[in-house]
Amino acid sequence: MQQADSMTSGERRAAGSLAAVFAFRMLGLFMVLPVLATWGQGLAGATPLLIGVAIGAYGLTQACLQIPFGMLSDRIGRKPVIIGGLLLFALGGLLAAQADSIWGVIAGRVLQGAGAIAAAVMALVADLTREQHRTKAMAMIGMSIGLSFALAMVAGPLIARAGGLQAVFLVTTGLALIGILLIWKAVPTPQDVARHREAGVASGAFWPTLRNAELLRLNYGIAVLHAILMASFVAIPLALQEQAGLPREDHWWVYLVALLVSFVGMVPFIIYAERQRRMKRVVLGAILLLALVQPLLWLGMHSLLAMVLLMVLYFLGFNVLEATLPSMLSKLAPAGAKGTAMGVYSTSQFLGAALGGVLGGAVYSFWGLGGVFACCGVLALTWWMIGATMREPPYVTSFRLAVPDALMADEALLRRILAVPGVAEAVLVAEEAAAYVKADSKLVDRETLEQALQPAR
């Protein structure tokens, strides 16, 4: 018998399949990252600037189309948008694989980014899971993204070693086609396409989100984090090959060691941040680590051992921030505006990636590897100075409660919810027949909130 407090088989299948689709797509995007700076030098017309553009090019179309595609999925359905996006991604991989010039690769990367399905996937997760299990499903997707990034850092160099840059792009196409098959065969079709403010953009919440100073700090931070990532990978593969003397075919083991050690190392910091409620301290420490590692990469790039150790530290800081920033956003976003805040946050992330690739290529053209590392260090310091002024986030969890139509007309409903000890914020959304609540999960749970919906007898 299915327990009431566990996910159904349909929910598990939907969450697992969508996590795999997300992972395949991110794997395809990131596999290019550790190989393009070295393997792309043989392309016609390749320059450091254009290689940097190719590395970050997907971010521009991704940033422009992610929110519109999410809104389109509200109108025509999730699956058509996701399948269409994966087809664009597959075509982009084919275009880049057939290219013999850097311009062809840039065009392919731009087309890959146009398959901006993140918002539609999140909305489909919300359609196919019950309120009490939605956080688990979103966590599965979050884990899949982290694992796909780690796998991409290792798989990219290994695939390039076997078949060159063309093989890397062909594999990305294959992964997209597998994703289409999963959406078609494994993911259930929702009975109703509903708007969920936790997973989609709400027009009324857009401008308040943009004016929220705490969220703006996070948006700047995620943009800088991914700008540094893209700019660093204009320089790191070249430093490993040209300065540390490691052939490009062997770069995979450096990324494998750095990522494995950093993943283990980040766990205590994540636990400390959440359990001890010291997230600001952990975030600022990780930003400072990124800032300090960059000039050290410059000074230590002639030593392979130093590069490996410094990349462990780099990925430690990166992984801590990649895990904690979305958690901070969830805590800081106003009730009923989490999806909107996440849409702006993701757009900032992809814009940062696009700008970081261009910046890394341009700086390398004029000032070499040292200039790229120095530039990344300065970017991290600007983030640290802005982040130092943030407040400790409230340690609250978001809940979405279905409200019967008869209760939506109860004028005392909102007051009853706000009166529950531990509730920090609540908003009623009549068109969704739902209440969005932010509360301290140590003091209140979903069952208590659902009981508060009912008038006292």
Side-chain angles (χ1 to χ4, degrees), residues 7 11-12 14-16 18-20 22 121-122 124-126 128-144:
M7 298 178 79
E11 286 175 321
R12 287 194 295 270
L18 289 171
F22 219 115
V121 170
M122 293 300 188
L124 184 54
V125 171
L128 294 172
T129 54
R130 289 168 291 163
E131 305 288 349
Q132 61 266 40
H133 300 304
R134 198 155 295 149
T135 300
K136 298 176 191 175
M138 297 294 186
M140 290 174 66
I141 289 179
M143 290 174 60
S144 76

Side-chain angles (χ1 to χ4, degrees), residues 185-227:
K185 292 291 188 181
V187 178
T189 300
Q191 298 298 314
D192 298 303
V193 174
R195 296 196 177 196
H196 303 269
R197 289 185 170 217
E198 295 294 277
V201 173
S203 57
F206 190 73
W207 290 113
T209 297
L210 288 180
R211 293 196 298 267
N212 187 305
E214 296 297 330
L215 293 177
L216 285 174
R217 288 186 182 90
L218 285 183
N219 295 335
Y220 180 77
I222 194 62
V224 167
L225 183 63
H226 281 259

Side-chain angles (χ1 to χ4, degrees), residues 82-432:
I82 296 171
I83 290 174
L86 289 171
L87 281 173
L88 287 174
F89 187 81
L91 290 172
L94 281 177
L95 177 60
Q98 299 304 314
D100 57 7
S101 74
I102 189 65
W103 289 107
V105 170
I106 291 172
R109 291 284 279 173
V110 168
L111 190 55
Q112 282 187 321
I117 62 170
V121 170
M122 293 300 188
L124 184 54
V125 171
D127 291 337
L128 294 172
T129 54
R130 289 168 291 163
E131 305 288 349
Q132 61 266 40
H133 300 304
R134 198 155 295 149
T135 300
K136 298 176 191 175
M138 297 294 186
M140 290 174 66
I141 289 179
M143 290 174 60
S144 76
I145 295 172
L147 290 173
S148 64
F149 176 78
L151 183 58
M153 291 294 101
V154 179
L158 286 173
I159 294 170
R161 178 180 184 175
L165 196 58
Q166 181 185 43
V168 176
F169 283 115
L170 288 175
V171 169
T172 67
T173 295
L175 290 171
L177 295 177
I178 294 172
I180 291 172
L181 187 63
L182 282 173
I183 293 293
W184 183 30
K185 292 291 188 181
V187 178
T189 300
Q191 298 298 314
D192 298 303
V193 174
R195 296 196 177 196
H196 303 269
R197 289 185 170 217
E198 295 294 277
V201 173
S203 57
F206 190 73
W207 290 113
T209 297
L210 288 180
R211 293 196 298 267
N212 187 305
E214 296 297 330
L215 293 177
L216 285 174
R217 288 186 182 90
L218 285 183
N219 295 335
Y220 180 77
I222 194 62
V224 167
L225 183 63
H226 281 259
I228 290 174
L229 178 68
M230 296 301 153
S232 294
F233 274 88
V234 172
I236 286 174
L238 293 174
L240 286 171
Q241 177 178 279
E242 297 175 1
Q243 304 299 320
L246 184 68
R248 62 185 183 179
E249 293 83 3
D250 296 328
H251 287 191
W252 64 271
W253 70 260
V254 176
Y255 301 124
L256 178 62
V257 170
L259 284 162
L260 284 177
V261 176
S262 64
F263 271 133
V264 173
M266 81 171 185
V267 173
F269 295 101
I270 302 300
I271 294 173
Y272 173 77
E274 291 286 356
R275 291 188 180 175
Q276 301 300 318
R277 301 193 168 188
R278 293 289 185 270
M279 193 164 285
K280 176 181 177 180
R281 181 181 301 178
V282 170
V283 166
L284 289 177
I287 298 170
L288 190 59
L289 177 61
L290 284 186
L292 293 174
V293 163
Q294 294 299 326
L296 292 176
L297 283 167
W298 179 11
L299 296 173
M301 63 183 175
H302 300 286
S303 165
L304 181 57
L305 177 61
M307 286 294 292
V308 173
L309 293 174
L310 290 169
M311 287 186 65
V312 168
L313 295 177
Y314 172 80
F315 281 121
L316 175 61
F318 177 85
N319 290 330
V320 167
L321 290 166
E322 193 78 352
T324 52
L325 292 184
S327 178
M328 288 187 75
L329 181 138
S330 180
K331 293 172 172 58
L332 291 168
K338 181 180 173 182
T340 305
M342 183 58 74
V344 176
Y345 172 90
S346 298
T347 299
S348 302
Q349 170 185 325
F350 294 123
L351 284 174
L355 292 173
V358 174
L359 183 65
V363 171
Y364 177 74
S365 298
F366 289 100
W367 294 289
L369 296 174
V372 176
F373 292 130
C375 181
C376 290
V378 170
L379 276 176
L381 282 177
T382 66
W383 180 14
W384 188 89
M385 288 186 288
I386 290 172
T389 63
M390 69 180 173
R391 61 184 175 89
E392 191 73 41
Y395 287 84
V396 293
T397 301
S398 298
F399 298 89
R400 183 183 186 273
L401 307 171
V403 180
D405 291 338
L407 283 177
M408 285 301 299
D410 186 350
E411 295 181 358
L413 176 59
L414 186 59
R415 292 197 299 271
R416 288 200 302 274
I417 297 173
L418 291 170
V420 176
V423 171
E425 193 178 350
V427 63
L428 298 176
V429 182
E431 59 267 29
E432 294 183 28

Side-chain angles (χ1 to χ4, degrees), residues 21-33:
V21 169
F22 219 115
F24 289 155
R25 185 175 175 281
M26 299 309 292
L27 183 60
L29 282 174
F30 284 126
M31 275 199 304
V32 180
L33 194 56

